[in-house]
Amino acid sequence: MSSNNVYSQLQKIIIRGLLLLSPLIILALVFIIKDPLKVIYTYSSPLEIGVLMNDRHYQAKYLQENKIKYSSFIFGSSRSKMYQTDKWRAFIDDSLIFHMGVNDESIWGVMKKMSYLDKEGYSIKNCLLPLDARLLRDIENNEAHIFRDHPLISGETNIEYYKYFVMAFLSPDFLKAYFKCNQSHQFDESMKTYIWKEKFKYNQQTGDIYYSEYDSLIQYDAASYYKSDVFYKRDTTLIKQKTKAVLTKKSKMYLTAIKAIFDKQHTQYKIIITPNYDQVKLDSSDLHFITTLFGTNNTSDFSGINKWTNDIHNYYEFKHFLPAIADSTLRISYRK
């Protein structure tokens, strides 16, 4: 076979290979240039309308890139967002406050974030830590890309971390929702797992989130709002049977590590067991461990069936109570 024929055959193989790989090449370019999962470039808010952003990723990059040395912190899940920094400021002698609460937080995640701040030389003068059974139950880094902690916090490699985002991006369901949204610029129910449509306000300097759209709906027509299907009916008889211990050897170890950081930093802190809509009381043995570890004066329990949880009007939906309820529990906690 002549050299010309060999070259011609090789050229055909390369062209065929490129044609076969072209979809992956196009997707790779979309991932890098368009940054659909918002993990490559820097953004001003983790709540921009569009593809759901990993708020842990946003938070870690923000702390790494900005020059503010915060010294007071609020940790926890999205429920902790009801405890707003401007209201907490009235109870502490500090104005450099940052909200470290993230969606679906775990006790592992809280411990890791505190360890990161301690390692990076932050002074943790004050800490507010709202807890509930769900947060205490979760003791590992989340497998879902949207809830996975940044390598700065978790300590895993960048390759391992970004693998979760590449896999999520290549999901047929995600690609369908993403390209459909970009083409039509409209949102429908088929996209709700991946696309963010609700309008919240975010304060970049404090990390506070305001449920502005919900507040407007309640102000406009509270009667209709509280008749919506976002609230399920609660049965107090069944609720009392749901209380069970959630603390394990690992979660107790993480709580103890948090207390060790408080002691090292001479932190003034408050632990609040939140008044959740489900009205399930934190197990007495779990509460005993937390109270013994952190102190009676620093621990307040608002879980279960009580004046806060009985009233449906104290909630945005079945997951989040109103900031006014957070303010109320905050005042009571600091009276101790």
Side-chain angles (χ1 to χ4, degrees):
M1 185 181 291
S2 68
S3 59
N4 286 338
N5 286 335
V6 171
Y7 177 76
S8 178
Q9 289 296 323
L10 183 61
Q11 194 176 38
K12 288 178 180 179
I13 291 171
I14 292 172
I15 291 171
R16 286 173 183 171
L18 288 173
L19 287 172
L20 289 171
L21 291 173
S22 59
L24 286 177
I25 294 171
I26 291 170
L27 288 175
L29 290 172
V30 170
F31 186 86
I32 295 169
I33 297 170
K34 302 293 285 186
D35 191 19
L37 294 180
K38 302 174 183 175
V39 290
I40 296 175
Y41 308 121
T42 299
Y43 298 87
S44 60
S45 167
L47 296 173
E48 293 182 2
I49 294 176
V51 175
L52 288 165
M53 186 177 185
N54 180 323
D55 54 358
R56 293 155 170 80
H57 181 93
Y58 173 88
Q59 191 180 87
K61 286 190 69 175
Y62 174 78
L63 288 175
Q64 183 187 39
E65 293 171 359
N66 90 88
K67 304 298 182 183
I68 303 173
K69 275 294 182 180
Y70 295 99
S71 48
S72 295
F73 301 88
I74 303 173
F75 295 89
S77 67
S78 59
R79 291 188 178 107
S80 75
K81 292 295 186 181
M82 302 307 115
Y83 294 90
Q84 294 163 355
T85 59
D86 60 335
K87 298 298 178 63
W88 187 38
R89 187 177 292 114
F91 298 93
I92 61 174
D93 184 23
D94 197 8
S95 59
L96 294 174
I97 307 172
F98 190 68
H99 209 307
M100 298 283 287
V102 291
N103 295 322
D104 279 19
E105 180 63 291
S106 66
I107 193 60
W108 176 89
V110 173
M111 182 272 295
K112 282 290 188 179
K113 291 173 181 64
M114 284 193 191
S115 298
Y116 169 78
L117 293 173
D118 182 53
K119 182 183 68 176
E120 292 297 312
Y122 285 87
S123 173
I124 309 176
K125 293 180 182 178
N126 301 279
C127 178
L128 182 63
L129 179 53
L131 298 175
D132 61 20
R134 180 174 178 177
L135 185 152
L136 293 167
R137 189 185 298 115
D138 293 339
I139 55 174
E140 295 177 347
N141 201 357
N142 204 304
E143 291 289 315
H145 76 283
I146 197 70
F147 302 129
R148 195 158 186 86
D149 268 295
H150 193 279
L152 288 171
I153 305 297
S154 67
E156 75 176 342
T157 64
N158 284 328
I159 292 175
E160 181 69 17
Y161 175 69
Y162 284 102
K163 176 190 75 176
Y164 288 89
F165 292 88
V166 172
M167 291 171 62
F169 173 68
L170 294 176
S171 161
D173 289 338
F174 172 80
L175 290 172
K176 181 180 177 181
Y178 175 69
F179 286 115
K180 184 177 180 181
C181 183
N182 274 271
Q183 185 177 21
S184 65
H185 300 289
Q186 293 180 345
F187 176 90
D188 62 47
E189 286 300 303
S190 68
M191 305 175 189
K192 66 180 180 180
T193 305
Y194 309 101
I195 308 298
W196 185 263
K197 75 178 183 71
E198 293 169 315
K199 295 179 181 178
F200 294 74
K201 289 183 179 178
Y202 182 74
N203 185 319
Q204 186 181 43
Q205 188 167 335
T206 65
D208 283 321
I209 290 175
Y210 305 95
Y211 284 49
S212 52
E213 186 174 279
Y214 287 1
D215 287 331
S216 296
L217 290 171
I218 293 170
Q219 187 175 8
Y220 177 71
D221 189 353
S224 297
Y225 183 90
Y226 285 103
K227 288 179 182 177
S228 68
D229 57 6
V230 298
F231 298 96
Y232 62 85
K233 189 174 181 180
R234 300 171 294 182
D235 187 324
T236 55
T237 304
L238 293 175
I239 287 168
K240 290 177 181 178
Q241 298 171 8
K242 290 181 179 179
T243 300
K244 59 182 180 180
V246 296
L247 290 182
T248 62
K249 186 177 179 180
K250 275 191 175 181
S251 51
K252 289 178 180 179
M253 180 176 69
Y254 298 148
L255 285 165
T256 303
I258 289 169
K259 178 59 163 58
I261 294 172
F262 287 163
D263 292 343
K264 175 187 175 183
Q265 292 264 359
H266 305 290
T267 305
Q268 299 294 317
Y269 58 87
K270 291 293 181 183
I271 312 296
I272 296 178
I273 313 301
T274 54
N276 296 351
Y277 181 80
D278 62 17
Q279 295 191 296
V280 177
K281 185 75 174 173
L282 187 70
D283 177 75
S284 58
S285 64
D286 290 345
L287 182 61
H288 176 74
F289 179 87
I290 293 169
T291 303
T292 302
L293 180 64
F294 294 104
T296 304
N297 289 340
N298 295 319
T299 308
S300 302
D301 177 25
F302 300 96
S303 65
I305 301 169
N306 53 50
K307 66 177 184 179
W308 293 278
T309 62
N310 276 335
D311 190 351
I312 192 175
H313 300 89
N314 288 335
Y315 297 87
Y316 282 125
E317 17 71 6
F318 67 91
K319 291 181 181 179
H320 302 101
F321 44 87
L322 298 178
I325 304 309
D327 296 344
S328 176
T329 62
L330 200 59
R331 287 192 297 271
I332 293 169
S333 298
Y334 273 90
R335 283 192 200 127
K336 288 189 173 184

